[in-house]
Amino acid sequence: MKRLLALIVVALFAVQPAYADAIKINLHSCCVTEDATTKEILPAFKKYYKEKFGKDVDVSASFAGSGTLKNQILGGAPVQVAVLSSELYLDQLKEKGLISSDWRKNLNKGAVIKSVIVFVTRKGNPKGLATFEDLARPGTKVLHASPDTSGGAQWAIFAIYGAGANFRNLSFGPEDGGVKLLSAVEKNVIAQPESARQTFVQFDAGFGDAIVTYENEALLEKAKGRDYAISVPKKTIETEWKVARVDRNIRPEQEHAVSELIKFLYTAEAQRSYAKFGFRPVDKKVEKEFHAKYAQVADPFTVDDLGGWKSARKNVIENTWKKTQVR
Amino acid sequence: MRRSPDTDALVRGATFAAALGLFFLLILLPLVSLNQYAVREGIGVFWDRLKNPDAVAALRLTALVALAATAVNAVIGTTMAFLLTRYRFPGRKVINALVDIPLAIPTVVTGFALLLMYGPLGPVGRFLGERNIQVMFSFPGLLLGHVFVTFPFMVRAVGAVLESVPRSGEDAARTLGAKEWQVFAFVTIPAVKEGIIAGAFLTFSRSLGEFGASIMVSGNLVGRTQTGPLYIFSRFNTGDVEGAAAIAILLALASFLILLLLQFVQSPAGRSAA
């Protein structure tokens, strides 16, 4: 028994990969990017870095809801690069002094991938749900993550609000079409789990008629062989993920690998990997290659149409959405 | 080899200091830091966060679920402990080991298992769904999660007392013509009262802090199905650390008072038995 225990302990230590002299950096990336990042982008980056600079780099990545990741970084997690779904989180890191560089100066103002908010329905879309207004029909059961913990849920709520709103006149009062639509849809929301991923866990278990989520999540589920249907509403929001370096955590010897990793995320190779996993690439050429994969949104809008992240967060989520939760 | 009394005292003192020091460092200090955070912005902000209607709703729900879970487990757990200690039947050892399973599996897994069972895909969920009974994302679902997670506490607390209570009382009652249920209700239960109380306090405290299963089965709807720990998590994520810490302090304090109370209600006899 003792020998067995000793063996197990030795084995546990032995299975640790030995990158003794590799440069180690940590990446925190929004949970939906997990598959693309671990299966393709990080292995490709490792290879690229070794070939180009002759050094080993070891990137450990951690994935969770963007809000959770942001808090871990605020709490002192030794992370050098963050890919998050909300600008506000990057702003918070900046306010607390963790980020000192201007991530808006990166390519595309820091946006490294894009998507749109769609909804996923059961096989063959039996309830014929096509627009956000359809989700407001009585008896429809809707899932989206909690906007308190998930960046994706904030986008989903922006999408619902925006689908009903008149961008030239955002009053956020009771007569605002966006407020009306959001209140009506929220009446049908049966659960708001922690992250976009968890909504699929509940949907897989049979709950709900529709999930409001990122297109890439929907495509990923389809790729896994699920027979769900995807509805792309005519009017919906374009979402983006932004990358930033967490300057305070970068030691001099990590500097080079960190800036190379960020550059690498914009290369055609990495963009293609993201696209394979359902994201919309920001690289125009790669976007053309994968064009057929994505539904064309007739009337897309952005968070800027809602007054930018700060104002949208305050008016749409903290004021409007919050009110829809009290019954 | 005989050690001198001096060495003994030294060893005893060192052990005492080390144990207390470690306890302070590992358990108490993190709690103290939490307290610091909660009142960092002043006691006014702390009070303000506690008064938030969403916080009050979450705390109320937490207390209700904890009470309900304790009541359910008091009945099932005590019966289970009785079966496991008083009877010998095939598979007893396996069942005895299975009782502790809820402590070993991640609570998120518990939540998912319940979703599968009571969801539209599971046979039980389908049966209930046809009758328009929605168990998950509501109070009953939350209760099922908490009963599962806290199940071992009552069984073990009562079991420990039962082991030490001689069967002679029960046998005497049987000889006097008592039926099996009468023996259980009038002889066994009063004898293990201490265990039931201890189990109830532990169950209640554990339930107050339950997170993993709750986030899966409750629906996490603010002001409606969001429990205290889920509320704390969401406040923390929105950056309202003061709000999170205020509720956390309250829950920690409640647990502490409950467990402290347990120390006093247990009679010396019961304590030595447990």
Side-chain angles (χ1 to χ4, degrees):
Chain A
M1 189 64 191
K2 258 187 207 159
R3 216 175 268 177
L4 184 71
L5 272 179
L7 204 68
I8 291 171
V9 171
V10 169
L12 283 176
F13 279 99
V15 291
Q16 274 191 343
Y19 297 120
D21 50 350
I23 305 162
K24 289 195 174 79
I25 53 179
N26 295 320
L27 167 74
H28 260 22
S29 190
C30 177
C31 71
V32 292
T33 62
E34 179 163 359
D35 289 344
T37 309
T38 54
K39 286 185 188 153
E40 298 213 349
I41 294 173
L42 293 183
F45 174 66
K46 223 171 111 79
K47 198 163 154 257
Y48 162 87
Y49 198 80
K50 174 88 181 168
E51 274 167 18
K52 197 159 177 196
F53 305 104
K55 268 190 217 153
D56 281 317
V57 61
D58 174 21
V59 186
S60 352
S62 173
F63 305 89
S66 285
T68 308
L69 293 178
K70 180 253 321 175
N71 273 319
Q72 290 175 354
I73 300 174
L74 280 179
V79 172
Q80 287 80 34
V81 182
V83 177
L84 303 179
S85 60
S86 162
E87 264 180 43
L88 290 184
Y89 295 148
L90 295 180
D91 280 339
Q92 280 182 33
L93 293 177
K94 192 153 188 172
E95 276 163 32
K96 302 274 166 157
L98 281 132
I99 297 181
S100 51
S101 55
D102 188 357
W103 49 268
R104 284 185 176 85
K105 280 193 183 137
N106 281 342
L107 222 53
N108 292 318
K109 292 183 182 165
V112 67
I113 25 174
K114 295 191 295 186
S115 191
V116 294
I117 293 292
V118 300
F119 46 88
V120 177
T121 60
R122 299 281 165 195
K123 185 182 178 183
N125 194 2
K127 295 204 170 176
L129 307 168
T131 64
F132 287 117
E133 282 79 5
D134 292 341
L135 297 187
R137 290 203 302 241
T140 314
K141 288 179 180 158
V142 180
L143 294 167
H144 64 62
S146 163
D148 286 339
T149 46
S150 154
Q154 300 184 40
W155 286 111
I157 289 165
F158 290 166
I160 301 168
Y161 169 81
N166 173 4
F167 299 139
R168 259 158 295 172
N169 180 22
L170 300 173
S171 71
F172 303 103
E175 72 296 339
D176 185 330
V179 173
K180 279 186 196 158
L181 182 56
L182 184 59
S183 313
V185 173
E186 286 297 320
K187 281 208 176 75
N188 287 336
V189 172
I190 55 167
Q192 300 182 11
E194 187 245 346
S195 65
R197 276 289 151 90
Q198 276 190 7
T199 57
F200 274 99
V201 172
Q202 294 179 337
F203 199 65
D204 281 344
F207 293 95
D209 300 310
I211 306 182
V212 186
T213 189
Y214 295 119
E215 177 191 47
N216 55 281
E217 281 290 279
L219 291 172
L220 198 62
E221 290 297 312
K222 294 274 278 188
K224 280 185 198 158
R226 307 248 192 261
D227 52 7
Y228 304 145
I230 302 177
S231 286
V232 183
K234 278 200 192 79
K235 189 179 181 188
T236 189
I237 200 165
E238 275 183 353
T239 70
E240 51 193 15
W241 286 265
K242 301 213 161 179
V243 62
R245 15 178 304 140
V246 186
D247 301 274
R248 204 164 75 187
N249 295 339
I250 302 175
R251 292 192 305 270
E253 70 272 19
Q254 295 170 317
E255 179 59 50
H256 185 254
V258 165
S259 53
E260 284 300 320
L261 174 62
I262 291 175
K263 267 193 241 161
F264 186 79
L265 296 180
Y266 287 98
T267 60
E269 187 180 3
Q271 291 281 306
R272 228 170 257 133
S273 299
Y274 277 130
K276 246 195 246 174
F277 286 89
F279 294 94
R280 297 188 177 211
V282 290
D283 185 295
K284 294 279 183 316
K285 270 190 218 139
V286 179
E287 205 275 328
K288 279 210 182 88
E289 285 170 41
F290 287 85
H291 197 70
K293 187 169 180 173
Y294 312 106
Q296 295 313 300
V297 179
D299 189 7
F301 59 93
T302 67
V303 70
D304 290 333
D305 290 315
L306 306 178
W309 253 108
K310 239 186 199 126
S311 146
R313 163 86 210 177
K314 184 163 171 285
N315 292 314
V316 181
I317 299 201
E318 276 156 39
N319 296 336
T320 310
W321 172 81
K322 200 91 211 201
K323 271 183 217 149
T324 66
Q325 299 302 301
V326 184
R327 274 173 217 181
Chain B
M1 193 183 86
R2 274 193 49 143
R3 272 177 294 181
S4 73
D6 280 359
T7 330
D8 265 357
L10 204 66
V11 169
R12 213 178 306 123
T15 318
F16 193 72
L20 274 188
L22 282 175
F23 178 70
F24 180 76
L25 188 71
L26 297 175
I27 313 291
L28 290 184
L29 212 51
L31 290 174
V32 171
S33 334
L34 189 67
N35 190 37
Q36 237 173 0
Y37 235 111
V39 296
R40 192 177 56 162
E41 307 279 319
I43 201 83
V45 174
F46 175 77
W47 180 237
D48 191 58
R49 292 301 199 279
L50 283 186
K51 278 194 316 192
N52 182 307
D54 293 343
V56 174
L59 286 170
R60 187 174 161 270
L61 181 62
T62 297
L64 281 177
V65 173
L67 275 178
T70 307
V72 171
N73 274 342
V75 177
I76 310 175
T78 305
T79 318
M80 189 77 179
F82 182 69
L83 290 181
L84 287 174
T85 47
R86 286 297 188 256
Y87 294 93
R88 295 291 174 265
F89 52 90
R92 190 185 70 95
K93 286 213 160 103
V94 177
I95 292 182
N96 206 2
L98 279 174
V99 164
D100 288 326
I101 278 285
L103 292 180
I105 60 174
T107 47
V108 175
V109 175
T110 303
F112 185 54
L114 288 173
L115 281 185
L116 284 179
M117 179 174 162
Y118 292 96
L121 298 183
V124 180
R126 215 173 306 140
F127 177 83
L128 294 170
E130 280 159 12
R131 279 145 195 84
N132 256 329
I133 302 171
Q134 163 88 28
V135 177
M136 289 293 117
F137 308 146
S138 62
F139 188 82
L142 206 47
L143 178 58
L144 283 168
H146 283 233
V147 165
F148 185 104
V149 171
T150 59
F151 186 71
F153 296 111
M154 189 64 78
V155 182
R156 292 307 174 217
V158 175
V161 177
L162 264 178
E163 296 278 7
S164 69
V165 173
R167 288 159 187 251
S168 47
E170 291 160 17
D171 289 339
R174 282 192 195 98
T175 320
L176 294 172
K179 294 200 175 62
E180 216 36 42
W181 70 266
Q182 287 172 318
V183 175
F184 183 65
F186 300 120
V187 181
T188 315
I189 295 272
V192 297
K193 204 178 65 197
E194 301 289 340
I196 297 176
I197 292 170
F201 281 66
L202 288 171
T203 306
F204 189 84
S205 311
R206 175 66 183 85
S207 180
L208 286 187
E210 211 301 311
F211 177 81
S214 304
I215 198 157
M216 290 308 285
V217 301
S218 73
N220 192 28
L221 299 173
V222 180
R224 285 172 284 161
T225 62
Q226 192 173 54
T227 60
L230 302 185
Y231 178 82
I232 292 169
F233 184 63
S234 85
R235 291 328 295 160
F236 180 61
N237 274 288
T238 49
D240 176 20
V241 185
E242 290 78 25
I247 310 303
I249 281 286
L250 201 69
L251 285 181
L253 204 65
S255 294
F256 171 66
L257 289 177
I258 290 161
L259 297 173
L260 188 68
L261 199 64
L262 176 62
Q263 298 290 315
F264 289 105
V265 287
Q266 277 180 320
S267 73
R271 212 166 25 236
S272 65

